[in-house]
């Protein structure tokens, strides 16, 4: 089916069956599944008319963290939690879990409306509903405001981009799986075009979309980007655009500072002058549209295969939780021992550039998250240590 025919088909969906979303990659409603998630009906004015589900383990860690997880089209909070294994991770590592859920009345394919201007502005629509849920969780469970994170798949990944852009003062970090950058679509036609072709916007143009979404004047959240190289639903060019958007916000160069193979897949990393990773990108070779699953670094399996939940030999949920700083141990890129045949060895390619000067702060309201004092001098030892750690050459 051609792009024009796809757009025409999607435009007629509201007249045909009440659908009003991106039907291109939804597979219908998911049957009810057993779930530890609990629904909360009263959490605010809920302008986006979303449902709130959460999971809080019996033993919360000290200064507990909160992870917001956004499902993809055709999924529910419970089905995505079962598939991606987030409540199991929350139980193991003592963090709280928030899983907003779309309603078919808002979008017939239960996609978050990441392309609708009324739903993606600070203080408006679905973005505001999710923010209200976070506020409820923070007060009820005494969440550490410095440890709030967001992740999502596909339309949920695009909505994670929305939350990071519109509420950068709320989130410490985010992870986007098979999603899209913020601000690249304002209606269904633009959304479908970007999904299929990517965005031609430059890094500064993409960064400006985020800068204009709020009056933020603090540190930007750090971000992890995941995408299958064989994704034909949301093309991999969108992952590149997300990376460009956040490199521009962080004032980082386009060339990765470290390249390594993690569980057989390439990972690129960028860090700041203090050696803190701010942007990372995983390319899951030959994987189609979905969340990659596999054994985690602790030899545990989180999640089960299903629609858009793909066995790939790498646990994205576990690696993302590690990136958020929630796990007891951080999985390091595997270095094959001497004598392993070349075709079986994981490889390392690394450069250690001199970090660029810290970018000028953006004018406007300052972040509510505490900022770490920065020295004007580059800590060369720390940068080198960080590079070696990223490459798996030291712990």
């Amino acid at each position: 089916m051609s792009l024009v025919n796809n757009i025409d088909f999607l435009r007629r969906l509201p007249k045909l069956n009440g659908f009003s979303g991106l039907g291109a990659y939804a597979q219908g409603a998911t049957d009810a599944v057993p779930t530890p998630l609990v629904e909360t009906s009263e959490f605010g004015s809920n302008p986006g008319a979303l449902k709130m589900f959460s999971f809080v383990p019996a033993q919360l860690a000290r200064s507990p963290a909160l992870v917001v997880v956004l499902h993809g089209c055709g999924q529910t909070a419970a089905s995505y939690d079962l598939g991606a294994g987030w409540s199991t991770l929350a139980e193991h590592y003592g963090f709280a879990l928030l899983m907003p859920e779309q309603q078919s009345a808002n979008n017939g394919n239960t996609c978050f409306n990441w392309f609708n201007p009324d739903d993606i502005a600070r203080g408006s629509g679905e973005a505001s509903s999710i923010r209200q849920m976070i506020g409820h969780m923070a007060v009820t469970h005494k969440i550490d405001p410095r440890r709030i994170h967001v992740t999502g798949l596909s339309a949920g990944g695009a909505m994670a981009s929305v939350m990071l852009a519109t509420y950068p003062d709320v989130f410490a970090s985010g992870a986007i799986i098979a999603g899209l950058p913020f601000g690249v679509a304002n209606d269904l036609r633009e959304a479908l075009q970007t999904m299929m072709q990517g965005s031609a916007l430059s890094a500064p143009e993409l960064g400006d979309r985020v800068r204009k979404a709020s009056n933020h004047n603090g540190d930007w959240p750090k971000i992890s980007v995941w995408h299958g190289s064989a994704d034909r639903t949301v093309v991999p060019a969108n992952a590149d655009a997300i990376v460009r958007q956040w490199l521009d916000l962080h004032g980082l160069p386009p060339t990765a500072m470290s390249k390594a193979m993690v569980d057989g897949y390439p990972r690129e990393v960028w860090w700041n002058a203090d050696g803190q990773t701010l942007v990372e990108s995983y390319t899951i070779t030959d994987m189609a549209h979905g969340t990659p699953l596999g054994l985690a670094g602790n030899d545990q399996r989180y999640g089960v295969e299903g629609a858009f939940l793909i066995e790939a030999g790498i646990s994205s949920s576990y690696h993302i939780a590690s990136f958020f700083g929630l796990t007891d141990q951080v999985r390091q890129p595997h270095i094959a021992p001497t004598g392993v045949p070349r075709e079986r060895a994981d490889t390392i390619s690394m450069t250690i550039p001199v970090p660029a000067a810290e970018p000028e702060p953006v004018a406007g309201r300052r972040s509510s998250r505490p900022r770490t004092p920065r020295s004007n001098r580059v800590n060369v030892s720390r940068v080198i240590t960080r590079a070696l750690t990223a490459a798996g050459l030291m712990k």
Side-chain angles (χ1 to χ4, degrees):
M1 184 179 289
S2 70
L3 174 61
V4 173
N5 289 337
N6 260 320
I7 293 174
D8 181 66
F9 171 71
L10 290 171
R11 184 183 295 128
R12 291 185 292 109
L13 280 177
K15 299 178 181 179
L16 294 173
N17 54 17
F19 284 11
S20 58
L22 294 181
Y25 61 101
Q27 291 187 343
T30 304
D31 293 335
V33 297
T35 179
L37 302 180
V38 175
E39 184 174 5
T40 299
S41 57
E42 298 294 333
F43 57 84
S45 60
N46 192 17
L50 301 178
K51 290 185 175 183
M52 173 181 173
F53 292 89
S54 63
F55 171 74
V56 179
Q59 298 295 327
L60 271 176
R62 183 179 299 178
S63 298
L66 174 67
V67 177
V68 183
V69 179
L70 302 169
H71 64 78
C73 295
Q75 297 174 325
T76 63
S79 68
Y80 189 64
D81 175 50
L82 175 67
W86 275 103
S87 61
T88 305
L89 276 160
E91 180 74 38
H92 285 178
Y93 296 110
F95 59 85
L97 182 67
L98 168 63
M99 298 197 70
E101 183 177 284
Q102 182 61 282
Q103 300 199 72
S104 58
N106 300 331
N107 186 296
N109 293 307
T110 63
C111 311
F112 289 102
N113 289 306
W114 59 271
F115 53 89
N116 182 0
D118 292 336
D119 286 306
I120 63 175
R122 187 180 176 102
S124 176
E126 292 176 12
S128 180
S129 289
I130 296 170
R131 176 64 183 94
Q132 290 177 4
M133 295 179 197
I134 294 170
H136 180 86
M137 291 290 292
V139 171
T140 304
H141 302 289
K142 297 180 173 58
I143 299 299
D144 186 337
R146 299 165 299 181
R147 305 185 69 205
I148 299 175
H149 317 274
V150 63
T151 183
L153 165 68
S154 196
M159 199 65 190
S161 286
V162 170
M163 297 308 297
L164 291 166
T166 54
Y167 295 99
D169 51 317
V170 171
F171 298 100
S173 54
I176 299 171
I177 306 173
L180 299 97
F182 173 77
V184 293
N186 290 299
D187 56 38
L188 184 57
R189 177 189 293 272
E190 292 180 354
L192 184 58
Q193 182 177 9
T194 306
M195 286 168 58
M196 300 180 68
Q197 300 178 6
S199 173
L201 293 175
S202 67
E205 289 172 327
L206 288 165
D208 283 344
R209 301 292 170 97
V210 176
R211 280 184 280 267
K212 293 176 181 177
S214 73
N215 294 323
H216 184 60
N217 188 28
D219 292 336
W220 295 101
K222 63 179 187 175
I223 192 165
S224 178
V225 181
W226 295 69
H227 218 106
S229 68
D231 193 333
R232 298 295 177 264
T233 302
V234 178
V235 297
N238 285 291
D240 297 336
I242 297 169
V243 170
R244 293 201 309 275
Q245 187 167 64
W246 287 88
L247 289 179
D248 181 74
L249 291 167
H250 286 292
L252 294 170
T255 302
M257 297 173 175
S258 171
K259 296 181 181 181
M261 299 295 287
V262 178
D263 293 343
Y265 297 105
R267 172 185 182 244
E268 296 183 318
V269 182
W270 291 260
W271 56 78
N272 63 12
D274 292 331
Q276 179 190 20
T277 294
L278 298 180
V279 179
E280 68 172 11
S281 177
Y282 283 84
T283 300
I284 310 304
T285 313
D286 298 327
M287 193 186 80
H289 189 67
T291 294
L293 308 177
L295 282 178
N298 57 0
D299 293 326
Q300 297 289 321
R301 179 171 292 276
Y302 300 100
V304 296
E305 288 185 78
F308 308 115
L309 294 150
I310 303 171
E311 175 59 43
I314 184 170
S315 175
S316 57
S317 298
Y318 177 80
H319 281 288
I320 289 169
S322 294
F323 180 77
F324 291 167
L326 305 179
T327 59
D328 292 336
Q329 60 181 354
V330 178
R331 173 74 169 172
Q332 299 294 341
H334 173 68
I335 308 296
T338 304
V340 174
R342 182 177 180 84
E343 63 271 17
R344 291 178 52 203
D346 288 344
T347 60
I348 295 293
S349 173
M350 179 179 65
T351 58
I352 309 178
V354 176
E358 186 175 354
E360 291 292 326
V362 181
R365 181 177 49 78
R366 297 190 64 81
S367 170
S368 61
R369 289 192 289 119
R371 299 190 67 181
T372 302
R374 303 289 181 91
S375 169
N376 291 329
R377 297 182 60 188
V378 175
N379 188 329
V380 177
S381 176
R382 182 177 295 179
V383 172
I384 294 174
T385 298
R386 180 59 184 158
L388 294 175
T389 300
L393 299 178
M394 66 181 295
K395 295 183 179 181

